[in-house]
Amino acid sequence: MPMMMEDYDDLFSDPLPLPPPPLALGLQERLDGLRCVGYCRKIAWSKMGCIAYISANGKELHLATLQHHKKNGIWDLHLHPDPVLAEQLSRIFKGRELANLSWNPSGLELVVTDIYGRLAICTILIAMNRLMVSKVWINDPDNHTNALVGSFWLNVKKVVPLYRSAARQDGQWNYTVTQQEMKGPYNPWAIKAPLSALIVVSRGGSVRLVYQGQDNQWQDVRHEIDDLSTSNDLLTHAALCPDRGDSLLLAVHTAGKQLRLYRATIDWQQSTGKDQIASGPKISFQHLETIDDCCPMLDYTTQNQETYSLPSSEAQLSHLELLPQAADPRSKESASPTILTTFSYLPSQYSVNGVREQPYTILSRWVMRNVESTLHTAFGSLTSKKSNSPVRLKESAALVRLQDVRVEHVAIDLQQIYLSTTIAVAYSDGSIDFRDRFTMQNMATDEELDKVTSLIQVGFGFQAADPCLHVALSPNTCVKAFFGLEHEPKMGNIQSLNRDIDIQDSIFTEKATAAFVLHNAMAGFNNNNNDDLLLTMQDYMAHLPNDESLAQRNKMEQDFLRDLYRTLSVNLDQSTDPQSDKLLRYPMLQRCLSLQSALGNRSDEEPRSVVSKVAWVMMNLRMIALTFAFAFAKSGNAPEGSSELSKPGMHKYLQQIMQAMIGLARWSMTLTDYIVDQLFELNRCIEPDQGFDMNAIRERIRTTRSPALLLLLTSTARTFLRYNCRGLRGLSTLSSTHLDQQHPHSHPSALLPPSHALSEIFTSAHLPPRALESLFLETDSMVKHAYAAAQPTISEQRQQALEREMLVSGEIPEVLRGVVERVLGKDGLLERMREREGVSEGELFFQGFEELGLEEDRRTREWWARRTVDEVRKIVLRERPMDGGEMGPGDGKATLRLRTCSRCGVVMEDLLPVRGASGWMMNLQRTCFCGGFWMV
């Protein structure tokens, strides 16, 4: 028996180590391409949200966007094949293979290059998946020395906020923000117009400056860095970054493994007279430093702070980045410009001595220091005035080597984020590291309870998933788009790495909420598309525990919106001093309302929250108010003066204006009828014998999710309603009074149809615009008096907080109890209006409000299922017959082209740009009224 036990010991001994996971297919070819010419990014994500990628055959450009499916609430990558663009680029590049993609800082222009350094600049037109080729440079011969090894878009001169952290104090998160100016050089003609400039570096050492001049036309100049003497001088990688004095730093790596650093200065050659180019810009180069043997150190520091040694010849350079000067949050000093490289090693697929080697990547850094040189004191005796003090020379730049960092993965991409304070390193196994630029250590989760710096610090990250060869991060680094050999993009979003534990912790949820506010505030002030943030937040809330999901989700949503409105300085208190013009033009209000609407309306399968409905109506009111303002501005205020009507073509133009306003006027009047109807519904809930019961009103709003009373009481929404009533009054005058009186016989056939349609809308409404405006003005006066009577108990700051709370939670504050009673109670404002205007409650009750989309009943669902509605112009484009037949195109059109919002899913007709009223209306709606971007 003992002998048998000894025989079985081998079966239960320590197992052999598991073999490493298989490497991504095509990884060796990908690394070979990175080592030969580092400029080969096949997928790029614009800050506007458009994803551009190169097809599998390497010769076509394809586009994709994030899209939210309203039916089930799922986000995915929507691929947009564009055969017209693909054929156009194929003709431009003569079928050559495409090499690299790069978006400009605004995210509207894309430069596409082929393997021989030819350029094509494409510009987004209205829709994210519609690009136009605006300029090409295709005259260079098929020479590999013309291949590009690096590029850099010049910054736009502006000051951007940097939200560094959030600290909790007295139960409230306070968000720290600093201002940072984007460094030059800048395109000097971009002061008044958004003009771009790009620098590209070729393998042969040629630097080309591509820029838009004062006439908005693309031009270019070319200069050489150094003369090529041998093949070892050919460049493999290049990187640029802005430096002091509006100069650029240029780092290049040669085939002979030299690392060279230059300072580039651009002389734009502007004349002081007419501000015109004299002879074109000139670029001069100053050599700063050379490192002859650019390779990893013999000793590496691993993530566990262990020392490791390998021959330096195994790993080869695959990436080169130049990090500009940046402020270190841990000190008052700024970090100097730094060269960052990656050296990747991919072992053979065959094992050595029974053990298969692990692939790895080494991160190497050189920081630029200014060195002051002096001459020996003996040189002072050579002059007539002898001196014993050393002679000081001009400062020179030197590269100081920092400790290398070794990672047990193969890096396939580097990206600078958060104004170059963080480096995102993507690996072939699908994982992504976020590293501190100053220490190059992985940004790990900390357990500090009262301070938040990012989602990464809270505990979010990208987990290793499908192997990939190419990857791009979204504008706010919350989603990645990647693909392998199949060149079919996939997506993955950042998630809580300890989801099963952290997501049930209320403290973790509070920290995550603060991090989402930080990222959204940064995205707002930098004009970044924030669909990736919305996707990540909805995904997090969808995985909350089932027993607490609704309450915890509502709390997280309200905390997020409350802090976001406060952080972005959105003034929601318009009760004392309403400023409609500022509200209309402040883009942060639209961003906040869009998020509020989306968070409360995840899918058609879930009921929409009342605060989401309020936000949705406010965004529509804002869009209509802007349209009214532009309409009357473009018409030269024609309703008030006959001199404008006598101008040639003014009658036709006014006809176009009225035609464009028909749908908006109908929708606005239907909305006000709906508000009055819902107020009567609340009035009927009041029992005359029991007196006014505010709790019953609150409960009724909570169960029916009716936004009517909140739209009346919230000062921001009430300001929009008043502004729109003013526009409706102007349209009513334009259609029924002014034109008929001034020109009763001129162009009757042209003026009658739109004016008649508008007059019918106003005459069939239950309340005229004048009475509606009176309702909102009287309510406004009552709210003002209520707040004034509560002083000094309710300060101005507290009043703003109450308005914000009412908007984000849907709860009516106690200070407005008297206002609600004077509106809905006996002999209140509603009853007086009914008697004065002769409003019929019965007619309102049976009126259909389906087109507003604010109810979840069967009639509303069927109404929208049978129709395609242009929700910008508020008109029905096509309608399916009641018998269930096919939905045909409207207005007799053979085809109907639509634009779809990638966020909220609304559609509008894809009209071609034209002159006239409809033309400027289409230009006004380059984005959806929710702030989302169009797709066609």
Side-chain angles (χ1 to χ4, degrees), residues 309-371:
S309 297
L310 263 180
S312 59
S313 59
E314 288 190 350
Q316 299 183 40
L317 187 138
S318 55
H319 293 90
L320 173 65
E321 290 284 333
L322 195 47
L323 313 181
Q325 186 178 18
D328 189 344
R330 289 173 292 269
S331 64
K332 296 182 180 180
E333 298 181 356
S334 296
S336 300
T338 304
I339 297 176
L340 172 64
T341 62
T342 63
F343 296 87
S344 299
Y345 172 68
L346 191 61
S348 170
Q349 295 288 343
Y350 302 98
S351 60
V352 179
N353 297 326
V355 179
R356 187 174 139 193
E357 297 178 274
Q358 289 279 3
Y360 64 85
T361 295
I362 297 169
L363 304 175
S364 300
R365 293 168 294 158
W366 290 263
V367 62
M368 192 182 85
R369 307 287 190 196
N370 290 323
V371 180

Side-chain angles (χ1 to χ4, degrees), residues 609-638:
S609 68
V610 63
V611 294
S612 174
K613 293 179 180 180
V614 171
W616 178 258
V617 173
M618 289 175 64
M619 288 189 298
N620 278 274
L621 290 173
R622 177 182 178 273
M623 181 265 295
I624 295 173
L626 282 171
T627 308
F628 284 165
F630 272 83
F632 288 116
K634 289 287 182 179
S635 63
N637 202 19

